[in-house]
Amino acid sequence: MVPRIEDMAALSEKLQRIVPGLKLVEAHGKMPAAQIDEVMVGFADGVGDILLATNIIEAGLDVKRANTMIVWRADRFGLAQLHQLRGRVGRGNRRGQVVLLTQAEGGIAERTLKQLRTLATFDRLGAGFEISARDLDMRGAGDMLGDTQAGHMKLIGVELYQHLLELALRQVRGEDVDRWTPDLNMGSPGALPASWIPEADVRLGLYVRLARLADAAALEGFEAELLDRFGPLPAEAESLLARARLRLSARTARVGRVDAGAAAIALTLRKDFAGDTAKAGLMEKDGRFLLIEATEDADRFDLVHALLETLVAAGTGSREPMARKVV
């Protein structure tokens, strides 16, 4: 086992000199997937005496004939990786052996030596939890919301990370977390065009914020911000916001899917729908509720919005309609 693909050539030559009578096969991440499968399946079936590979084999493989593993430069692997790797040997009826090779101790950081010693100490079956606990002690629990966070928060953004964390905590506390988004199958999906907002990261941030808006007031404020920052909305942005309004209405009405075409509008209702479809003039067919009415593309968003608002009013009796907007 080697940490890098570039380590394989020199080590392959050395192994062939040391054990010229044994057949060597190789596997690494730059090989085509079909070739990797062929090598691994063949090795499991007895083709080859030595498998020289990178850590692509660290999980999910069951080679019962493999009983010895030598990890070259073990100090370049993480503790979790080494624990996974040693689980690839000894899966048959013969005891597995793992040999970790490193540089002289003087060339290895103290933290790395502690990790290797941890692996040597916890060498029994089921030691994964103890290894994880020791790794937590050595590396620390991390900084979930601070500037030093190096994990998911920097990847997805502070606000979204906190939003997901809040939802997870509410679920743990047993609160009802209503996470679903209506599916709209109608017209153009809309967009924030690059010609209007050139910066890709700014557009991405705005898309994320738009997806998380929960009421009409927040959506109106979002639109006002767009107008103030970037000027008049192009047609694609108008369409995007119109769909956002429809999603809010559909969610309030407990409508899971809207299909709208030139001849009719079809609504798929959720199980918790409590409105009166008769007041909206809908007829049921094949599990969906239909409004048979011909519409032009320019009028369809407005008609669907009015229909959803009728369902909201029929279901609550007191909810004020959301602001309508023709696209």
Side-chain angles (χ1 to χ4, degrees):
M1 183 65 51
V2 295
R4 305 176 305 178
I5 295 176
E6 49 264 39
D7 298 325
M8 295 182 68
L11 195 54
S12 175
E13 293 179 5
K14 184 177 295 186
L15 287 172
Q16 289 172 354
R17 290 198 307 268
I18 297 172
V19 285
L22 299 182
K23 181 177 180 181
L24 180 71
V25 293
E26 299 183 9
H28 57 77
K30 288 188 177 181
M31 295 168 54
Q35 187 177 353
I36 296 175
D37 288 343
E38 181 181 353
V39 170
M40 296 309 304
V41 171
F43 186 71
D45 290 339
V47 178
D49 302 299
I50 301 174
L51 172 64
L52 178 60
T54 58
N55 65 334
I56 62 168
I57 67 164
E58 73 178 67
L61 295 177
D62 187 9
V63 182
K64 291 183 171 56
R65 65 187 289 257
N67 70 310
T68 302
M69 176 182 291
I70 300 175
V71 182
W72 176 259
R73 291 305 305 272
D75 52 295
R76 291 181 175 175
F77 290 90
L79 184 55
Q81 283 182 310
L82 292 172
H83 179 61
Q84 288 286 343
L85 286 171
R86 73 177 180 182
R88 298 309 99 205
V89 295
R91 304 178 69 87
N93 56 6
R94 300 179 62 184
R95 181 183 176 90
Q97 301 289 336
V98 178
V99 179
L100 305 180
L101 301 180
T102 68
Q103 288 184 331
E105 288 193 6
I108 302 176
E110 183 61 29
R111 177 179 294 183
T112 303
L113 283 175
K114 287 182 179 180
Q115 291 179 335
L116 296 176
R117 289 166 184 158
T118 296
L119 197 69
T121 301
F122 297 105
D123 61 349
R124 64 185 181 279
L125 186 65
F129 178 78
E130 288 87 350
I131 291 175
S132 298
R134 183 66 65 86
D135 192 34
L136 180 63
D137 289 339
M138 289 189 292
R139 296 195 300 158
D143 185 4
M144 185 174 289
L145 298 177
D147 292 337
T148 59
Q149 172 62 250
H152 294 312
M153 189 180 73
K154 281 190 176 179
L155 179 65
I156 65 177
V158 176
E159 292 185 3
L160 180 55
Y161 186 84
Q162 291 177 323
H163 173 69
L164 296 175
L165 180 61
E166 178 187 358
L167 293 178
L169 292 174
R170 288 174 57 190
Q171 285 183 318
V172 170
R173 290 194 294 260
E175 299 178 16
D176 182 26
V177 180
D178 195 19
R179 297 177 63 184
W180 64 279
T181 301
D183 185 12
L184 304 182
N185 182 22
M186 52 178 295
S188 168
L192 301 175
S195 57
W196 187 48
I197 306 176
E199 299 84 359
D201 56 337
V202 174
R203 294 199 307 274
L204 179 60
L206 291 171
Y207 280 126
V208 171
R209 287 178 53 197
L210 179 61
R212 292 171 50 197
L213 296 180
D215 54 57
L219 182 57
E220 295 300 329
F222 182 80
E223 181 177 6
E225 178 186 339
L226 292 180
L227 286 167
D228 183 59
R229 292 176 63 184
F230 308 108
L233 276 62
E236 300 98 315
E238 289 277 7
S239 180
L240 180 68
L241 295 182
R243 291 177 71 89
R245 290 186 179 86
L246 290 184
R247 280 201 174 88
L248 290 176
S249 293
R251 184 177 172 84
T252 303
R254 316 310 284 177
V255 174
R257 179 183 173 94
V258 178
D259 295 280
I265 298 170
L267 305 181
T268 303
L269 308 180
R270 287 172 53 87
K271 292 181 180 180
D272 55 353
F273 174 81
D276 187 346
T277 56
K279 289 184 178 180
L282 299 175
M283 54 179 287
E284 184 177 6
K285 182 179 180 181
D286 299 329
R288 299 192 299 174
F289 288 83
L290 306 181
L291 177 66
I292 308 299
E293 184 171 339
T295 57
E296 300 293 333
D297 291 345
D299 302 327
R300 197 163 300 137
F301 273 81
D302 199 42
L303 178 60
V304 172
H305 196 280
L307 175 59
L308 292 172
E309 288 299 288
T310 300
L311 290 176
V312 170
T316 64
S318 60
R319 190 183 303 271
E320 295 183 2
M322 295 171 58
R324 291 175 59 185
K325 188 159 186 163
V326 180
V327 177

